Amino acid sequence: MPKSSKISIVVESIFCRIEERVNSNGSKQFTDEEILTLHSVFGATLQRAFEILEKYPTLETYSNCNNGRVLVEIKGENDRCYRVFPRINFCPCLAFKHQVIEKKSQLMCKHVLAARIAMILDRIVDHKVTQDQYLMLLRSMFEEQNG
């Protein structure tokens, strides 16, 4: 198994463990130990993700009524919007392209990490959309990236 796959499995395991604990006791916040664990994995990216969530305490999600697919919308610098999938490590931002894909210096960008944290802590406002609306939002992810 490639090293990156092993790391992804460990990261997912950490998130799942935190999510289970948050759901079981309803605290909706991380313990100090969980923050230290996340910081040991993500470093400065965790701080930048927390800064997004401090500026935007709730994130917008768009879910498809038919099949349960979800997109999370995160505002970046200059109020640019990024849409990411909550459990897929992909973002159309330049940092993801350069730091995650090309340099492999980060595991994920601040937008993907902020989305995952917001989902775990239930800091979202969900909007139900039709299949056509969902597809339009999905297409816009890639049009903004290329345009």
Side-chain angles (χ1 to χ4, degrees), residues 6-138:
K6 290 178 186 176
I7 292 170
S8 297
I9 290 169
V10 170
V11 169
E12 187 58 30
S13 170
I14 292 167
F15 280 132
C16 287
R17 208 171 45 245
I18 293 170
E19 193 168 20
E20 284 175 18
R21 195 226 18 108
V22 166
N23 289 336
S24 70
N25 70 13
S27 73
K28 303 300 179 201
Q29 56 185 324
F30 291 145
T31 65
D32 291 343
E33 182 181 312
E34 290 165 343
I35 292 171
L36 285 172
T37 300
L38 290 170
H39 187 268
S40 72
V41 173
F42 297 107
T45 304
L46 179 66
Q47 179 62 37
R48 292 192 294 274
F50 280 144
E51 287 169 2
I52 290 172
L53 295 172
E54 191 173 298
K55 188 172 180 179
Y56 305 101
T58 57
L59 301 182
E60 307 283 325
T61 63
Y62 299 92
S63 57
N64 183 288
C65 303
N66 298 335
N67 58 21
R69 292 182 183 154
V70 177
L71 282 174
V72 182
E73 187 171 271
I74 299 113
K75 291 207 189 276
E77 274 115 45
N78 301 322
D79 289 326
R80 175 154 184 195
C81 285
Y82 297 98
R83 291 186 191 97
V84 300
F85 302 100
R87 291 186 178 267
I88 297 174
N89 190 20
F90 173 78
C91 183
C93 75
L94 289 176
F96 187 88
K97 178 183 176 192
H98 296 298
Q99 295 173 355
V100 179
I101 296 174
E102 293 172 0
K103 292 183 181 178
K104 297 181 182 2
S105 62
Q106 296 294 326
L107 295 173
M108 58 181 61
C109 71
K110 64 184 178 181
H111 307 111
V112 173
L113 186 54
R116 190 67 190 266
I117 291 169
M119 295 293 289
I120 290 171
L121 299 179
D122 197 29
R123 292 176 53 182
I124 59 167
V125 175
D126 188 45
H127 303 283
K128 300 291 183 203
V129 295
T130 65
Q131 178 72 13
D132 287 343
Q133 290 169 322
Y134 185 85
L135 291 173
M136 183 186 72
L137 289 166
L138 195 58

